[in-house]
Amino acid sequence: MVDTLSASEPLEADEAHTPLDLEPKPRTAAIDVDWLGRDLLGTWAERRLAARAKAANPDYQRIPNQTMAEHRARAFGQLRLLVDDGAVLVAFPKELGGGDDHGGNIAGFEELVLADPSLQIKSGVQYGLFGAAVLHLGTTHHHETLLPPIMRFDVPGAFAMTETGHGSDVASIGTTATYDEATEEFVIHTPFRGAWKDYLGNAANDGIAAVVFAKLVTKGVDHGVHAFYVDIRDPETGEFLPGIGGEDDGFKGGLNGIDNGRLHFDHVRVPRRNLLNRYGDVAADGTYSSPIESPGRRFFTMLGTLVQGRVSLDGASAVASKAALAIAIRYGSERRQFNAASDVEEEVLLDYRRHQKRLFTRLAETYAMSYAHERLLTEFDGVFSGRTDTPEAREDLETLAAGLKSLSTWAALDTLQEAREACGGAGFLAENRLTLLRADMDIYATFEGDNTVLLQLVGKRLLGDFAKQFKGASAAQLAQFAAKEFAGRAAAQVGLHQVAQDVRDLGLPATASRALRTTSVQRELLTDRVETMVAEIAGRLRHVPRGDAAKTAKAFNNVQNELIEAARAWAELQQWKALTEAVERMTGETARVMTWVRDLFALTLLERHLAWYLSNGRLSGSRAKVVGSTIERLLVKIRPHALDLVAAFGLEDEHLRAPIASGAEGLRQAEAMAYYEEQRAAGTLPTPEKQAKRG
């Protein structure tokens, strides 16, 4: 492999100072679009391509101007098509007709966002939540009796976890399931309005059963949240069963093909066997037992089995970002505005440096998201297939899923908005899909875990790992660590880091720029940010007295913002690592261009957090100054390859379904230029007033 990561190739100094790079000269070599496209498809390429084929089929696609009722009916019918196709069975056990392919199932599922996010999420509710809860929280009896009709979609179901009064704080839900020894039944009850189950897909119209999460109470003891299978509607009439009621959530900001609704229960009785009892069971006499003794660990283990929702949203966000960038970059390469450097031709939008920065930086981020997702999906498949299923691996998976899902869902919303604005008024038209996708994906930042809460979980994991390194350490080891930390902070405070960088750079901006494009320097800066932030937070929490809940809560609240920023920095580092590892296996011009993409992602992160690097003495003034100019030069380098980089996403016109990305704009521009050229040649073009006055 060529040494593309050493930053040995200089970026031409004059590139950042050209007033406007009109029609950048194409390179003699180009990236291998086919190879890069296959690489992006990842391990489960065939599953992705099969799902994209569905997304290209009009039968699966959204009709933009439907009413809510029409959209719901269409999504319901499309789910029937998925059942007939067999795609929904991929993750279920082979003995039940499934494929036992957990990674492939997610890979295919997330591509359905190209057809209609409502279809994707409705499928996710039925199979990734309702069905998956029965699969992963139930035992053999539930698998044999409940799963087959769920898999056939004979029993549409809801996943009743969230309550009006409690969203992310599942441990505090109000719904109870009290065991009655006399009848061997659980009594499901919502004792107050805030305990109503809310925002549930399939609850308003279609669901005839639900997996209900409630606090299991037996013999007067609350054993915490468990899951119960509950019939909620008569399958013949569609009416609620006795003791069950609900409401329609109505029209939403997006995803209106899904019938979200509320459910409440008034002392509804279900058989003892309806408890999904993989992690906790109740005997006929009311005795509770569990293979996991700790209530806290039991709770997190049960919720951890449902991590696939976060994994799939991470991937779907990357797919949506690819679609947005493909639309905006295709359009920007054809659309012309303003005569900046010519009296006869307007400039292509994508040749404006600001247009490049708003789109190419997000293009680099999307590549990082995509490769990080492949790593996440691989870890998920390893755990859920059983190949790597250990408590440590599950904890790692949950942490990575929480961090990446947060960043990618926010990034998708940002990218869709920026792409919309970059396409001007045309981007606002529903026919070009950017606004529709933006509205549908808005809720991705909230469901399957609010992003801010998820990052807090990641931050607590980072603090836990930080503390583990001192467990069992000797006094000498602790003293050595303390001395190292003190030396690092002292060096930052007196500017030794900056001095060392200035010495290495010899005061030359070009040398500083090359340093920032070196893999080792990027790794050091991004890693140091995480480690420093975590160590500082741990230091602030060190003196909090154990056993004092009030003081502990106050102390964590005081560092909450810093903790979430540390978690974000850690997730950004994971994305950078994944992109770097991908680039390292590339060769030739593809490696060369993708190194620029990787560098652009890294430099964008540095620019985003430049205040932190300067205030913490991690970046010298000379290097800080060249962050922006280096980004500018990378934009110019990437410009000739922009269309190839989005072509590698493998999204065709039938996937994008955006007229402005179809080549129509280029034809309009060519027609306009031909018209004016004909007028000039014939001498019939009116003379501009300013020119006439000069003449």
Side-chain angles (χ1 to χ4, degrees), residues 114-310:
L114 295 168
D116 183 357
S118 285
L119 168 61
Q120 182 206 29
I121 299 304
K122 192 171 182 70
S123 172
V125 168
Q126 177 69 15
Y127 298 104
L129 293 176
F130 176 58
V134 175
L135 174 63
H136 296 300
L137 299 179
T139 48
T140 303
H141 163 71
H142 306 111
H143 297 167
E144 293 176 348
T145 60
L146 301 179
L147 275 182
I150 292 174
M151 293 164 64
R152 295 191 302 267
F153 201 44
D154 292 339
V155 177
F159 182 79
M161 176 184 283
T162 298
E163 295 183 352
T164 304
H166 284 93
S168 297
D169 185 8
V170 179
S172 297
I173 60 175
T175 303
T176 56
T178 306
Y179 184 66
D180 183 348
E181 298 175 25
T183 61
E184 295 189 27
E185 294 173 317
F186 285 99
V187 182
I188 311 294
H189 185 56
T190 47
F192 46 83
R193 178 62 183 81
W196 283 25
K197 299 298 182 180
D198 211 341
Y199 318 115
L200 315 178
N202 285 342
N205 292 327
D206 300 334
I208 62 175
V211 170
V212 178
F213 287 78
K215 290 182 176 178
L216 189 159
V217 179
T218 181
K219 295 184 180 296
V221 178
D222 178 356
H223 292 280
V225 177
H226 288 65
F228 301 82
Y229 184 90
V230 182
D231 294 311
I232 61 173
R233 283 189 175 92
D234 184 319
E236 299 298 326
T237 66
E239 298 296 322
F240 281 122
L241 296 174
I244 300 174
E247 296 177 351
D248 194 323
D249 278 325
F251 190 79
K252 308 182 296 293
L255 294 180
N256 280 298
I258 304 172
D259 57 320
N260 293 91
R262 308 178 182 99
L263 295 175
H264 55 88
F265 305 88
D266 185 3
H267 297 92
V268 175
R269 291 178 172 269
V270 300
R272 179 172 63 92
R273 298 192 75 178
N274 281 29
L275 167 65
L276 301 180
N277 60 339
R278 179 178 179 182
Y279 296 107
D281 200 5
V282 173
D285 67 356
T287 302
Y288 180 83
S289 62
S290 172
I292 303 174
E293 184 175 351
S294 166
R297 192 158 64 85
R298 184 190 313 135
F299 170 75
F300 284 110
T301 300
M302 283 193 286
L303 264 60
T305 62
L306 306 173
V307 71
Q308 63 186 21
R310 293 169 187 170

Side-chain angles (χ1 to χ4, degrees), residues 75-141:
F76 185 89
Q78 290 170 330
L79 206 53
R80 290 285 188 200
L81 294 178
L82 288 178
V83 173
D84 295 340
D85 176 79
V88 297
L89 305 179
V90 173
F92 290 98
K94 288 183 178 179
E95 57 267 26
L96 295 176
D100 270 329
D101 185 0
H102 300 278
N105 172 63
I106 298 297
F109 166 79
E110 59 203 25
E111 296 287 337
L112 291 178
V113 75
L114 295 168
D116 183 357
S118 285
L119 168 61
Q120 182 206 29
I121 299 304
K122 192 171 182 70
S123 172
V125 168
Q126 177 69 15
Y127 298 104
L129 293 176
F130 176 58
V134 175
L135 174 63
H136 296 300
L137 299 179
T139 48
T140 303
H141 163 71

Side-chain angles (χ1 to χ4, degrees), residues 13-27:
D14 63 344
E15 286 178 340
H17 305 290
T18 306
L20 187 64
D21 300 293
L22 298 175
E23 304 295 339
K25 296 179 180 178
R27 301 188 63 88

Side-chain angles (χ1 to χ4, degrees), residues 632-653:
E632 294 289 323
R633 291 193 285 274
L634 286 167
L635 297 174
V636 178
K637 287 287 190 180
I638 291 170
R639 168 62 180 98
H641 305 279
L643 287 172
D644 283 346
L645 287 169
V646 294
F649 293 157
L651 304 180
E652 305 297 338
D653 289 347

Side-chain angles (χ1 to χ4, degrees), residues 503-675:
V503 169
R504 286 194 292 270
D505 297 342
L506 302 175
L508 300 174
T511 306
S513 175
R514 280 196 295 273
L516 292 176
R517 292 185 295 111
T518 304
T519 306
S520 59
V521 170
Q522 292 175 13
R523 187 187 306 276
E524 179 183 357
L525 287 170
L526 296 174
T527 302
D528 186 49
R529 175 168 153 79
V530 177
E531 293 178 348
T532 300
M533 294 176 79
V534 172
E536 288 181 348
I537 295 168
R540 291 176 61 182
L541 296 174
R542 187 174 64 239
H543 301 297
V544 177
R546 293 185 180 181
D548 190 326
K551 289 185 177 180
T552 299
K554 181 179 180 180
F556 265 97
N557 194 43
N558 287 339
V559 299
Q560 187 178 50
N561 290 318
E562 292 90 336
L563 188 67
I564 289 170
E565 283 304 307
R568 183 196 293 269
W570 177 85
E572 290 170 344
L573 174 61
Q574 306 317 304
Q575 291 179 332
W576 177 88
K577 284 181 176 179
L579 180 55
T580 298
E581 289 169 3
V583 173
E584 286 175 337
R585 64 173 178 265
M586 299 176 186
T587 59
E589 188 71 0
T590 302
R592 178 185 173 97
V593 175
M594 284 302 298
T595 298
W596 297 333
V597 171
R598 191 286 309 271
D599 290 347
L600 180 58
F601 177 62
L603 270 291
T604 301
L605 292 179
L606 295 184
E607 185 177 56
R608 184 182 300 166
H609 306 302
L610 199 56
W612 185 91
Y613 284 105
L614 285 170
S615 62
N616 284 272
R618 261 51 182 192
L619 207 59
S620 68
S622 60
R623 287 193 179 181
K625 286 180 181 179
V626 300
V627 169
S629 60
T630 304
I631 287 175
E632 294 289 323
R633 291 193 285 274
L634 286 167
L635 297 174
V636 178
K637 287 287 190 180
I638 291 170
R639 168 62 180 98
H641 305 279
L643 287 172
D644 283 346
L645 287 169
V646 294
F649 293 157
L651 304 180
E652 305 297 338
D653 289 347
E654 56 268 28
H655 298 126
L656 301 177
R657 302 190 303 285
I660 57 173
S662 66
E665 180 64 26
L667 294 176
R668 283 193 292 268
Q669 294 292 337
E671 179 187 23
M673 286 190 287
Y675 169 80

